[in-house]
């Protein structure tokens, strides 16, 4: 793969992208001992419970509006350095509330980071507000209302993340109605931890234009056809899927089979340093592990721009840069 291919990322959780070096510096600044979770520049975890514990501990060292500006700017600069022209970051205003910073200051810090990165390297970025399923429908409706009322031009999408096995998608449909009415783009985590039924449920209850992961749709041929017919775009994160053992190895990962069946697929990194990956590595995997040509990979990047939650003028400019 040519290393100068332009890149786009649609699925990345901001706190999950925290660069280990920056986390280490932040921990030092606040006198927080993070050595059990971060060793030699690598986040350390061994099962899902310790992954969540590590994730929480890392999130703890980002406390202020300026910390969030710095985190956002640092990650976007890393992306720009590998030829990324557009990024959508998944953010949780509820997280801002839970850490005592407040949703507005949290979002304002992130937006400042986006502005700084754009000024430096002209990378475009937008925010997808997410509800967290394990906090229940009321909290997810709250997140949707927050995103709708914010009227912030950088908030352009709504997502549902968190524990997929909690409740049915229909319980969260109201939140998506609020987001849809506010003109936000819709995407939802499904078909990762849970099987094909969770993707069908998402299509039925939410009618999203994109699905986060969605890869387990491969278990149901009719569903694969439905995705292809609808043109629903999958935000596929192969490195994350392998790290979390959704599939045992890249050979059994369905990215290529989905693409060959006519499903629109794109490549993202999810929580990159936690899964010992990066967007750069995901693009390399597309070539080395899945055998896609540069033209195939560019087509996926183009699909990502076409599916991006941006205004048409920005989309046109991004397509021109590709
Ligand atoms: Zn995700």
């Amino acid at each position: 793969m040519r290393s100068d291919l332009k890149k786009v990322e649609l699925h990345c959780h901001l706190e999950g992208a925290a660069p280990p070096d920056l986390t280490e510096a932040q921990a030092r600044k606040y006198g927080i001992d993070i050595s059990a979770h971060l060793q030699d520049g690598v986040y350390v975890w061994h099962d899902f419970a310790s992954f969540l514990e590590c994730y929480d501990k890392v999130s703890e060292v980002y406390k202020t509006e300026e910390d969030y500006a710095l985190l956002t700017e640092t990650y976007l600069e890393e992306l720009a350095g590998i030829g990324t022209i557009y990024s959508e970051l998944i953010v949780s205003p509820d997280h801002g509330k839970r850490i005592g910073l407040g949703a507005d200051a949290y979002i304002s810090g992130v937006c400042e980071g986006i502005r700084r990165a754009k000024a430096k390297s002209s990378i475009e970025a937008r925010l997808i507000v997410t509800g967290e399923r394990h906090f229940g429908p009321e909290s997810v409706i709250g997140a949707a209302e927050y995103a709708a009322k914010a009227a912030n031009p950088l908030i352009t999408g709504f997502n549902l993340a968190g524990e997929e096995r909690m409740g049915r998608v229909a319980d969260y449909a109201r939140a998506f109605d609020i987001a849809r009415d506010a003109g936000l783009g819709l995407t939802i985590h499904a078909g990762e931890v849970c099987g094909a039924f969770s993707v069908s449920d998402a299509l039925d209850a939410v009618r999203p234009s994109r699905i986060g992961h969605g890869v387990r749709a491969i278990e149901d041929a009719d569903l694969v056809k439905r995705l292809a017919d609808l043109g629903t775009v999958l935000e596929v994160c192969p490195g994350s899927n392998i790290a979390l053992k959704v599939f045992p190895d890249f050979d059994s990962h369905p990215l290529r089979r989905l693409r060959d069946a006519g499903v629109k697929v794109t490549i993202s990194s999810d929580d990159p340093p936690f899964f010992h990956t990066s967007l750069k590595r995901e693009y390399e995997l597309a070539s080395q592990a899945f055998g896609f040509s540069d033209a195939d990979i560019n087509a996926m990047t183009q699909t990502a721009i076409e599916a991006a939650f941006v205004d048409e003028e920005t989309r046109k400019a991004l397509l021109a840069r590709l």
Side-chain angles (χ1 to χ4, degrees):
M1 186 191 82
R2 281 174 47 183
S3 60
D4 62 346
L5 287 189
K6 294 280 188 285
K7 299 175 182 69
V8 164
E9 181 157 73
L10 297 182
H11 188 126
C12 181
H13 301 261
L14 177 62
E15 289 81 8
D21 289 353
L22 181 62
T23 297
E24 201 138 35
Q26 289 284 118
R28 260 198 314 274
K29 182 171 95 180
Y30 288 119
I32 295 171
D33 178 12
I34 197 155
S35 59
H37 306 282
L38 175 53
Q39 285 156 16
D40 302 322
V42 175
Y43 293 133
V44 180
W45 57 275
H46 50 88
D47 58 15
F48 197 65
S50 67
F51 162 70
L52 291 179
E53 205 183 307
C54 178
Y55 197 99
D56 283 348
K57 197 70 191 177
V58 169
S59 300
E60 240 176 63
V61 308
Y62 298 92
K63 294 178 184 296
T64 66
E65 193 170 330
E66 174 54 29
D67 290 346
Y68 274 93
L70 184 62
L71 168 57
T72 307
E73 180 188 0
T74 306
Y75 181 62
L76 291 177
E77 280 298 294
E78 178 189 319
L79 284 185
I82 58 154
T84 309
I85 56 174
Y86 179 72
S87 151
E88 284 179 12
L89 296 168
I90 301 170
V91 292
S92 164
D94 279 345
H95 176 75
K97 273 189 228 163
R98 277 197 301 277
I99 63 172
L101 173 60
D104 289 345
Y106 167 85
I107 292 292
S108 144
V110 174
C111 289
E112 172 61 19
I114 290 177
R115 278 187 289 272
R116 287 183 200 166
K118 187 176 175 181
K120 271 195 199 161
S121 52
S122 69
I123 184 170
E124 282 285 351
R126 296 292 185 273
L127 299 178
I128 299 177
V129 163
T130 193
E132 289 165 276
R133 198 158 166 158
H134 45 273
F135 291 113
E138 284 311 311
S139 120
V140 175
I141 287 170
E145 281 172 342
Y146 180 86
K149 281 188 198 138
N152 179 332
L154 293 178
I155 296 178
T156 55
F158 186 71
N159 199 335
L160 179 62
E163 177 50 77
E164 242 180 70
R165 286 162 289 195
M166 182 106 167
R168 296 294 293 240
V169 182
D171 303 336
Y172 301 87
R174 171 92 191 105
F176 281 95
D177 289 341
I178 292 166
R180 186 185 302 103
D181 289 347
L184 299 171
L186 305 184
T187 179
I188 173 170
H189 283 66
E192 177 195 18
V193 177
C194 292
F197 78 90
S198 67
V199 177
S200 304
D201 281 1
L203 293 176
D204 292 340
V206 173
R207 293 176 284 123
S209 63
R210 300 181 350 209
I211 288 184
H213 300 288
V215 280
R216 288 187 60 188
I218 199 71
E219 295 161 9
D220 177 347
D222 290 339
L223 175 61
V224 170
K225 185 169 183 316
R226 186 179 176 198
L227 286 170
D229 290 347
L230 285 169
T232 310
V233 172
L234 302 189
E235 307 154 2
V236 183
C237 312
S240 158
N241 294 157
I242 302 306
L244 290 177
K245 301 187 170 66
V246 177
F247 302 98
D249 50 41
F250 290 109
D251 282 343
S252 49
H253 191 285
L255 174 61
R256 180 174 269 280
R257 278 176 287 152
L258 288 164
R259 202 283 310 249
D260 290 348
V263 177
K264 290 186 176 178
V265 292
T266 61
I267 310 166
S268 289
S269 70
D270 208 7
D271 303 289
F274 287 90
F275 301 139
H276 312 124
T277 192
S278 61
L279 186 61
K280 178 169 183 276
R281 176 169 174 263
E282 297 299 320
Y283 267 71
E284 285 164 0
L285 285 169
S287 161
Q288 292 158 13
F290 294 98
F292 288 118
S293 68
D294 286 1
D296 290 333
I297 293 169
N298 268 333
M300 290 190 245
T301 305
Q302 177 164 341
T303 298
I305 296 174
E306 286 162 358
F309 298 150
V310 280
D311 56 279
E312 293 314 311
E313 195 184 324
T314 306
R315 191 186 324 279
K316 248 170 85 183
L318 290 169
L319 285 169
R321 283 175 77 182
L322 181 69

